[in-house]
Structure formats: structure tokens, C-alpha cells
């Protein structure tokens, strides 16, 4: 059964609502629906209902001239294939709902894009909202308060690749990163190759996320990786260069950097403690690992290509963590997975299989490429080496 829309944007006619461009990806564009305060308190029952539905959500609309699946098909896949893998999808997944679009609203959105075009990524400039029948409402994972902390990361492969050689000393992610670095060094001289291969910062290993639940050294490496990739709170209002449920808001640094607010050191420590507790005790990442494993065997051995596509979707999702104060002054942590749209597996299958062959034949799983790229995979260093 196809999902039914929760609302019709035609209901916004007669209101003073405005749309704010938040971000975009290759296939979708995200907007915020903004209502003047006086409208929120004076709407009649019909308009009040659409306001309630839009509360806490962002509007995601399809781009014109892409090969992405229609939103009803994306949502049906999410409801039938993704959600059942998690025992508490309301808590574990960024929620999304079908909404019927309106031609006048689509025209309004395209006018906003035209006005923002110079601020958009170069290869996205000129693209428009499709004249589609449906869009999506996506749970808003942005800050609810200026004091909230946001983190964003890709869990990637949470177990070693089932198709790797039995002698592998790297996980799929570390092997692929070694291949990428190796490829980028080939154009340099031999001496430069050897020097760069030894001196670069090793890529972070995603196996550490689950190891952090029992290993202090892995926990330290996870925290270090988040501090390196996070940015301090910003007042920047430029649109995001890609689509995600937090829009332009960056992850906040947890390393105690002073952003000018009094008492920031004390607040940072409280948030750091909350983050550490979540990393050590969360059930979300173990659930994701179990879901990934349940969809294996190895890519080249599976006869169920749609199952493989689902497995790879789970290995390309994004985890959003929001830490905020509750009504009693304590801290709560919300963590949800996003970027779980249906993939065009027919187009990607050959790439996935081809990359696996390259990693095996080139010795990247076993770390025997020449020159050897320095990595720090959990499969190499284990739980005992400090960061």
C-alpha cells in the first residue's frame, strides 16, 4: 500500500508563511517553512492543523531532471525495508512523511532558489524544484536552543568486510581510504610517494565506534576524531552545500574552545560527559551493526541484489546526535540515523563490486600495497594503543 500524504501544501494559501532555503543535495532541496508569530496565534482551525503538522519538520522537495525515485516510492521503501530493521524506529530514525505539493508553492520555491543562486554550490546553480506531486516532511534535527550541541558523522562499515581475504588487517573503510591515498600519490615522484605515505594523518577507523563501548583507547580515538572534524558554533546563515536534516548548523566542538560565551568551559565539560556516556552505552550503533550484518553474505556471493543494495544503504547513512538541556536542567541525548533513501542499486552494483575487487587485488585489505599507506585500523592496532 502506498503511503498517504499527511497534508497538502495548498492549505498554506491565505497564510503569511515564507520559505527559507536550508540546503541541497544532488536529488533534493530542503526548505524551512517559517510562519510569523502573529499567524501562529491567530490561525483558524484549517490553517492551525497544517501549522501543527509542519512543526518541527523541514520540507524536502525533489530536484528537476534527476533519476531519483519519486518520494512516495522512497517513503514506501523506508517504511517497508528500513524501519523494520530497528525495534524503535521512532527513536532511532529521522522521521519523514509524505506531503502533497502545490504548483504555486513550487513556483515560490524556485523563485527563492533563483535569488540564492550565487550562494549555491557551483554544480547546483541553476537547478530547480521539480513540478512533482509529492515532497517530504523530514524531522528537523537542528538546534532547538542556542545552547544545544550537534554532532554529525557517518558510521560506515561497523564490521570487517565479509568479502575481505581471511588475512585482512584492514576493514573496508580503512582499505578504501588507503586506496584513495595511494591513488592520489601515484602522480608524484617515488621519493615524494614514500614520504607522503609515511607522513599523512591516518584515516579514522569506524570499527572504533563500537569498540569505544569497552575500550578507553578506542573511546579516546573516537573523541579525537570528532574534535578534528567538528566546528565551533557559528552565526553563518549561508545555505548548506548538501542536503541533511540539520541544514547549515555545524557540529559543535567539544574540545573546550572558547566561543565568547561566559562559562563555556563548564558547559563543554557537561556536554563532553554526556557524549562520552552515549558513546559507551548507546544501543543505536549496535542495532545498525546488526542490521548491516543481517544483510550479508559477501557482495559477490549474494543472489539477492536488492538485499545488497539495502546493506550498502545502511553503510552510507548519517548519524545525528543532539545534546540539549531537559526541563529539569539535565542533559538529554537524541541520536538518529538519516540518509536512508532507496538507492538505484542497478547503477551502483558494478561500482560496489569493482571497488571490492580493486581492494583485494591491490593488497589494500592486507596492507601490502607499495608504498604502504599508513593506516590505524582497529584490526591492526586493537584496543590497546593510545591515540
Amino acid at each position: 500500500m502506498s503511503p498517504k500524504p499527511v497534508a497538502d501544501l495548498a492549505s498554506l494559501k491565505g497564510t503569511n508563511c515564507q520559505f527559507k532555503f536550508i540546503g541541497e543535495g544532488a536529488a533534493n532541496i530542503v526548505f524551512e517553512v517559517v510562519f510569523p508569530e502573529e499567524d501562529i496565534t491567530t490561525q483558524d482551525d484549517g490553517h492551525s492543523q497544517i501549522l501543527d503538522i509542519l512543526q518541527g519538520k523541514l520540507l524536502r522537495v525533489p530536484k528537476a531532471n534527476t533519476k531519483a525515485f519519486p518520494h512516495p516510492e522512497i517513503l514506501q521503501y523506508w517504511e517497508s525495508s528500513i524501519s523494520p530493521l530497528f525495534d524503535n524506529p521512532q527513536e532511532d530514525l529521522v522521521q519523514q512523511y509524505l506531503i502533497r505539493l502545490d504548483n504555486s508553492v513550487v513556483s515560490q520555491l524556485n523563485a527563492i532558489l533563483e535569488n540564492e543562486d550565487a550562494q549555491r554550490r557551483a554544480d547546483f546553480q541553476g537547478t530547480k524544484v521539480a513540478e512533482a506531486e509529492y515532497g517530504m516532511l523530514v524531522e528537523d534535527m537542528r538546534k532547538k536552543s542556542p545552547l544545544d550541541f550537534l554532532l554529525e558523522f557517518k558510521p560506515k562499515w561497523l564490521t570487517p568486510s565479509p568479502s575481505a581475504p581471511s588475512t585482512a588487517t584492514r576493514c573496508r573503510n580503512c582499505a578504501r581510504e588507503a586506496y584513495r591515498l595511494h591513488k592520489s600519490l601515484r602522480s608524484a615522484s617515488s621519493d615524494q610517494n614514500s614520504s607522503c605515505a609515511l607522513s599523512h594523518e591516518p584515516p579514522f577507523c569506524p570499527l572504533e565506534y563500537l569498540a569505544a563501548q569497552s575500550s578507553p583507547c578506542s573511546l579516546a580515538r573516537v573523541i579525537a576524531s570528532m574534535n578534528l572534524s567538528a566546528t565551533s558554533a557559528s552565526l553563518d546563515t549561508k545555505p548548506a552545500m548538501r542536503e541533511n536534516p540539520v541544514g547549515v548548523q555545524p557540529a559543535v566542538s567539544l574540545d573546550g574552545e572558547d566561543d565568547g560565551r561566559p562559562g563555556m568551559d563548564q558547559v563543554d565539560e557537561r556536554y563532553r560527559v554526556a557524549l562520552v556516556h552515549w558513546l559507551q552505552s548507546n544501543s543505536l550503533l549496535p542495532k545498525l551493526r546488526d542490521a548491516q550484518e543481517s544483510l550479508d553474505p559477501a557482495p559477490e556471493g549474494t543472489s539477492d541484489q536488492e538485499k545488497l543494495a539495502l546493506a550498502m544503504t545502511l553503510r552510507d547513512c548519517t548519524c545525528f546526535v543532539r545534546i540539549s538541556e531537559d526541563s529539569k536542567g539535565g542533559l538529554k541525548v537524541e541520536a538518529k540515523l538519516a540518509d536512508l533513501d532507496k538507492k538505484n542499486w542497478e547503477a551502483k552494483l558494478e561500482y560496489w563490486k569493482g571497488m571490492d575487487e580493486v581492494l583485494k587485488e591491490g593488497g589494500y585489505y592486507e596492507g601490502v600495497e607499495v608504498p604502504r599507506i599508513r593506516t590505524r585500523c582497529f584490526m591492526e592496532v586493537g584496543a590497546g594503543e593510545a591515540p
Side-chain angles (χ1 to χ4, degrees), residues 7-294:
D8 190 328
L9 284 187
S11 302
L12 294 176
K13 291 178 181 177
T15 70
N16 294 315
C17 80
Q18 297 180 331
F19 297 94
K20 180 181 178 183
F21 176 38
I22 298 297
E24 63 185 320
N28 297 285
I29 309 173
V30 177
F31 295 86
E32 179 183 3
V33 186
V34 182
F35 290 89
E37 186 63 32
E38 60 271 18
D39 277 21
I40 296 176
T41 57
T42 61
Q43 293 297 334
D44 59 31
D45 289 344
H47 289 154
S48 176
Q49 185 179 13
I50 186 72
L51 263 62
D52 290 342
I53 292 172
L54 292 170
Q55 188 70 30
K57 303 177 186 71
L58 297 172
L59 174 63
R60 191 181 82 164
V61 291
K63 277 187 174 179
N65 302 316
T66 75
K67 295 181 180 180
F69 293 103
H71 278 47
E73 190 172 345
I74 290 173
L75 185 58
Q76 184 174 28
Y77 178 82
W78 184 83
E79 291 179 343
S80 63
S81 299
I82 301 292
S83 292
L85 296 171
F86 298 85
D87 56 11
N88 192 349
Q90 284 283 128
E91 183 177 305
D92 296 333
L93 306 177
V94 171
Q95 297 299 295
Q96 46 193 24
Y97 312 88
L98 200 64
I99 189 166
R100 192 181 299 276
L101 300 178
D102 177 76
N103 288 341
S104 64
V105 170
V106 170
S107 297
Q108 212 175 330
L109 299 179
N110 279 325
I112 294 169
L113 290 179
E114 186 175 353
N115 189 53
E116 297 273 5
D117 210 41
Q119 303 298 322
R120 301 167 70 191
R121 206 173 84 178
D123 56 336
F124 290 162
Q125 289 177 2
T127 57
K128 296 183 177 182
V129 177
E131 293 183 0
E133 186 176 1
Y134 297 103
M136 203 94 78
L137 292 180
V138 181
E139 183 178 2
D140 190 350
M141 287 297 290
R142 297 178 300 172
K143 294 181 180 183
K144 293 182 178 179
S145 158
L147 294 178
D148 286 358
F149 278 52
L150 295 171
L151 296 171
E152 172 189 350
F153 64 95
K154 281 189 171 290
K156 299 184 179 179
W157 292 65
L158 293 174
T159 58
S161 172
S163 63
S166 60
T167 51
T169 57
R170 287 178 179 146
C171 68
R172 165 73 176 227
N173 191 70
C174 289
R176 188 181 180 201
E177 289 302 307
Y179 164 72
R180 284 178 170 176
L181 286 165
H182 198 246
K183 185 178 179 181
S184 69
L185 296 175
R186 287 174 185 166
S187 59
S189 68
S190 298
D191 289 343
Q192 287 175 314
N193 270 345
S194 299
S195 175
C196 291
L198 293 173
S199 64
H200 76 89
E201 180 66 26
F204 174 74
C205 175
L207 300 185
E208 303 278 21
Y209 288 125
L210 288 172
Q213 298 202 340
S214 58
S215 164
C217 288
S218 288
L219 178 64
R221 286 193 287 267
V222 172
I223 293 293
S225 76
M226 288 181 172
N227 286 343
L228 285 171
S229 63
T231 56
S232 297
S234 171
L235 296 179
D236 187 2
T237 58
K238 291 190 294 185
M241 291 303 183
R242 67 180 186 82
E243 167 206 347
N244 66 55
V246 299
V248 302
Q249 296 180 324
V252 178
S253 174
L254 300 181
D255 60 3
E257 291 183 0
D258 182 12
D259 72 347
R261 288 186 292 171
M264 191 61 191
D265 289 344
Q266 179 182 356
V267 173
D268 271 2
E269 184 58 27
R270 292 175 63 222
Y271 282 80
R272 183 190 292 271
V273 168
L275 173 65
V276 167
H277 181 264
W278 180 81
L279 288 169
Q280 291 177 314
S281 62
N282 79 87
S283 61
L284 178 60
L285 297 182
K287 289 178 189 178
L288 179 60
R289 173 203 59 202
D290 293 346
Q292 291 178 355
E293 284 189 318
S294 73

